[in-house]
Amino acid sequence: MSDGLNPFEFRTVPAIQLEWSGAKRLGEVVGARFAARKVLLVTDGGLVKAGIIAPIVASLEASGFAVTLFDEVVADPPEHVLLACVAKAKAAGVDIVIGLGGGSSLDVAKLAAVLLVSEQPLADLYGIGKVQGSRLPLIQVPTTAGTGSEVTNITILTTGETTKMGVVSPQLYADFVLLDGELTVGLPAVHTAATGIDAMVHAIEAYTSRHKKNPVSDALAREALRLLSANLIAACKDGTNRKAREAMLLGAMLAGQAFANSPVAAVHALAYPLGGHYHVPHGLSNALMLGPVLRFNAKAAAPLYAELADVIAGPGAGGAEARADVFVATMQKLMDESGAPRRLRDVGVTDNTLAMLASDAMKQTRLLVNNPVEVTEADALALYREAF
Ligand SMILES: [Zn+2]
């Protein structure tokens, strides 16, 4: 019996379509799959200004959809943004929801689809498995590579002034995901770098996650890391490189599938307070904390980091600890070359707030339990100091 597999369950979305320029014919794509025709399109004002939304709305309308546009999503979305979105959609009587944008738009779309048919108050949804009943049909179209939010069952909202809270429930898996690499072409290099590193963090943390790691999440994490590490620099250097953009989008999605089933850990726990207090974007805050946490975990996670060294640096000689060092050094080199900011002080964090950040990070117990090594508040403070 000792060689058997541990029991596990794996879930993901039922349908994914990858098609360059697919968003420009979103009406056809969605119209062929769903009967509903009163659509809520959840996005942000930046994409509207960039001219990305108008052709998509035109495509939906040409296929007979009545479109209610909600373009007020902001990074680290607070509860009132979601509630405003739901109110607008309710007034319009929508019967299908499309999230289109970065992780924040996709996250808001998930809970809007739930709240549009649910009597549950938002406050009752936080935590794991609290959502009851069903939701409206839900389609997700990411414009960054990325959060992987298009294939996860998680929404993160900012509650109160600074606290990040998560809703985790199977209802939040979308019905359909469109991956259109063309939507990511306009993403500036620094955002391409930060969001790409965040996607790598998802793969790494899923691969070393303490409780729910399984053979399927492992396979997805390895392939995600292979694609992301091989294409990050190319996508940063030339945003119009279609091959690199599609590989990054695919890699970010695979990493999302992995961590939806084998959850992320200390990098994310330490990153959330940076978003809450300083509005450092999610991807960047994870990129800033990755190096210190990799070094902190390296000893305990050596056998797993050694396996990941084969994926991102190719096979090599040496024992587990030496190969783990190769993995950490290769990740550092990638991050340096990507052009993403590397220190907390570069993004406006002041050293007199590090203790408060450490105390805040301790609240992320949902994530910290997944880390290969226990993180105390003193450890968290030391990690912020190292990142400063
Ligand atoms: Zn992340």
Side-chain angles (χ1 to χ4, degrees):
M1 292 296 280
S2 62
D3 291 324
L5 293 170
N6 292 324
F8 74 92
E9 180 188 271
F10 182 86
R11 292 195 194 194
T12 192
V13 302
I16 296 161
Q17 181 170 333
L18 184 147
E19 181 183 328
W20 188 265
S21 282
K24 283 184 181 148
R25 50 178 218 95
L26 192 62
E28 262 175 88
V29 172
V30 175
R33 289 174 176 268
F34 299 88
R37 286 295 180 272
K38 287 172 137 184
V39 67
L40 166 68
L41 182 59
V42 181
T43 189
D44 66 76
L47 290 172
V48 174
K49 268 193 209 129
I52 287 176
I53 300 303
I56 292 169
V57 170
S59 160
L60 288 163
E61 287 175 346
S63 292
F65 287 89
V67 181
T68 300
L69 179 65
F70 183 83
D71 63 0
E72 288 155 54
V73 176
V74 293
D76 310 303
E79 290 179 314
H80 69 81
V81 168
L82 167 65
L83 296 174
C85 175
V86 170
K88 186 173 186 183
K90 258 192 186 151
V94 308
D95 53 12
I96 184 166
V97 177
I98 300 178
L100 193 142
S104 299
S105 291
L106 306 187
D107 278 12
V108 169
K110 288 174 190 174
L111 278 191
V114 167
L115 291 173
L116 280 165
V117 294
S118 171
E119 299 296 315
Q120 281 182 285
L122 175 55
D124 291 357
L125 304 184
Y126 293 109
I128 299 174
K130 301 286 173 61
V131 176
Q132 293 159 8
S134 187
R135 57 153 170 75
L136 289 183
L138 175 64
I139 293 131
Q140 298 281 39
V141 186
T143 60
T144 66
T147 61
S149 178
E150 66 274 15
V151 289
T152 73
N153 58 339
I154 307 161
T155 283
I156 306 291
L157 291 179
T158 305
T159 60
E161 288 299 304
T162 57
T163 306
K164 298 269 207 154
M165 297 262 285
V167 178
V168 185
S169 242
Q171 288 93 332
L172 302 193
Y173 284 116
D175 296 302
F176 176 69
V177 171
L178 176 67
L179 299 178
D180 174 1
E182 192 178 47
L183 292 173
T184 68
V185 163
L187 202 63
V190 65
H191 294 305
T192 302
T195 54
I197 294 165
D198 180 40
M200 298 178 84
V201 175
H202 298 154
I204 296 164
E205 295 210 292
Y207 200 75
T208 59
S209 197
R210 232 159 113 172
H211 301 293
K212 292 189 173 169
K213 170 182 167 65
N214 65 72
V216 182
S217 66
D218 283 352
L220 292 164
R222 276 193 303 264
E223 178 61 4
L225 211 49
R226 186 187 71 78
L227 287 164
L228 295 164
S229 62
N231 290 280
L232 176 72
I233 304 305
C236 290
K237 286 208 167 122
D238 174 11
T240 66
N241 181 331
R242 173 173 165 174
K243 192 171 151 280
R245 286 296 194 185
E246 287 191 314
M248 292 300 291
L249 195 56
L250 185 58
M253 186 275 290
L254 296 174
Q257 289 183 315
F259 90 88
N261 291 277
S262 178
V264 292
V267 183
H268 277 75
L270 293 166
Y272 281 134
L274 297 173
H277 290 279
Y278 288 102
H279 294 289
V280 179
H282 174 85
L284 179 53
S285 55
N286 277 282
L288 289 162
M289 297 314 300
L290 177 60
V293 175
L294 283 180
R295 291 187 288 276
F296 178 77
N297 288 347
K299 212 167 187 146
L304 296 173
Y305 284 179
E307 290 168 19
L308 295 180
D310 291 358
V311 175
I312 66 169
E321 289 202 9
R323 293 293 293 160
D325 290 344
V326 169
F327 172 68
V328 174
T330 308
M331 284 302 304
Q332 301 258 101
K333 187 162 165 279
L334 267 175
M335 288 191 280
D336 290 340
E337 281 177 23
S338 75
R342 302 290 287 113
R343 309 213 64 91
L344 296 183
R345 65 169 77 105
D346 300 337
V347 298
V349 177
T350 54
D351 61 353
N352 60 350
T353 61
L354 300 184
M356 174 197 67
L357 295 172
S359 142
D360 237 36
M362 287 297 107
K363 295 178 191 154
Q364 300 293 337
T365 48
R366 172 178 77 83
L367 305 175
L368 289 170
V369 294
N370 303 314
N371 203 57
V373 195
E374 195 201 340
V375 181
T376 65
E377 191 166 335
D379 295 328
L381 181 56
L383 289 163
Y384 281 124
R385 286 223 172 93
E386 198 179 326
F388 185 73

